[in-house]
Amino acid sequence: DAGVTQSPTHLIKTRGQQVTLRCSPKSGHDTVSWYQQALGQGPQFIFQYYEEEERQRGNFPDRFSGHQFPNYSSELNVNALLLGDSALYLCASSLGGVEAEAFFGQGTRLTVV
Amino acid sequence: SQQGEEDPQALSIQEGENATMNCSYKTSINNLQWYRQNSGRGLVHLILIRSNEREKHSGRLRVTLDTSKKSSSLLITASRAADTASYFCATRGTNTGFQKLVFGTGTRLLVSP
């Protein structure tokens, strides 16, 4: 049973460019959340998708957008990249419920130069 | 902003010793979860403790929760070099929506052989 998979693992982009990160949830999970983790910090919640809708959003600008597909996989898009967007982007999946455990992927390391 | 604060920020011990990490948070929670992260990779779920629980065990891990003090502790007994990692607490609040996790700043644990 595959866990949460993210692609790509590493990415280098130039300031001003756009990037798309992808996530496949753990089998059977219907909810996907995205987090940004800056170096030396804890992860910060970006947004969560359930039934192809954004259900909750953290304190991130509109440059950050996402999508969830019918098979529950998800994309995170970031437009007009800034140097400060350099971070580890983590995807987490879970199955319903407030008490559900969240399983994380290995992350995508984004470097903006 | 981060809700949780972990203490200490860094901890260095010898193999076989116990390691204790503390987490404090600010608002009412539904549950609190502990995660491990190796070298900036994905987060591994360790244990979930509900707000109505005071203590929970899993193998060499023991977690306590004191909701009156808004604090939790993670004890790793008989530590091993493989336990070297960063440890994060994450809370799921009662008023922060469905499944958003709010992470602390983490404790970096180094276990020397």
Side-chain angles (χ1 to χ4, degrees), chain B residues 8-99:
Chain B
Q9 290 187 327
L11 181 60
S12 185
I13 60 174
Q14 299 290 317
E15 258 190 336
E17 294 180 336
N18 295 342
T20 300
M21 289 159 263
N22 303 297
C23 165
S24 61
Y25 57 91
K26 297 176 183 175
T27 63
S28 297
I29 62 170
N30 180 282
N31 62 64
L32 184 146
Q33 304 181 41
W34 283 90
Y35 288 85
R36 184 185 74 224
Q37 185 176 42
N38 291 79
S39 301
R41 296 175 62 82
L43 297 166
V44 175
H45 188 274
L46 296 176
I47 198 163
L48 179 154
I49 186 165
R50 297 179 178 81
S51 60
N52 62 353
E53 298 176 313
R54 291 297 167 259
E55 188 171 311
K56 205 162 183 179
H57 297 254
S58 177
R60 294 184 296 114
L61 305 180
R62 173 179 164 244
V63 169
T64 62
L65 178 64
D66 187 336
T67 53
S68 67
K69 296 181 179 178
K70 291 187 170 57
S71 67
S72 174
S73 68
L74 170 67
L75 168 67
I76 303 174
T77 60
S79 63
R80 306 165 181 167
D83 294 329
T84 294
S86 291
Y87 291 81
F88 294 91
C89 68
T91 55
R92 190 165 280 153
T94 57
N95 60 354
T96 56
F98 286 85
Q99 297 185 37

Side-chain angles (χ1 to χ4, degrees), chain A residues 31 35 37 40-45 48 55-56 88 90 94-102 104-106 109, chain B residues 1-2 30-31 33 35 37 40-45 48 50 88 92-93 96-105:
Chain A
T31 302
Y35 292 81
Q37 186 179 21
Q41 300 294 316
Q44 296 239 28
F45 176 78
Q48 181 183 88
R55 183 159 70 174
Q56 190 178 13
L88 180 68
L90 294 162
S94 55
L95 177 61
V98 178
E99 297 185 351
E101 296 176 2
F104 283 79
Q106 290 299 301
R109 173 71 63 187
Chain B
S1 61
Q2 306 286 146
N30 180 282
N31 62 64
Q33 304 181 41
Y35 288 85
Q37 185 176 42
R41 296 175 62 82
L43 297 166
V44 175
H45 188 274
L48 179 154
R50 297 179 178 81
F88 294 91
R92 190 165 280 153
T96 56
F98 286 85
Q99 297 185 37
K100 168 185 174 181
L101 287 171
V102 179
F103 283 84
T105 50

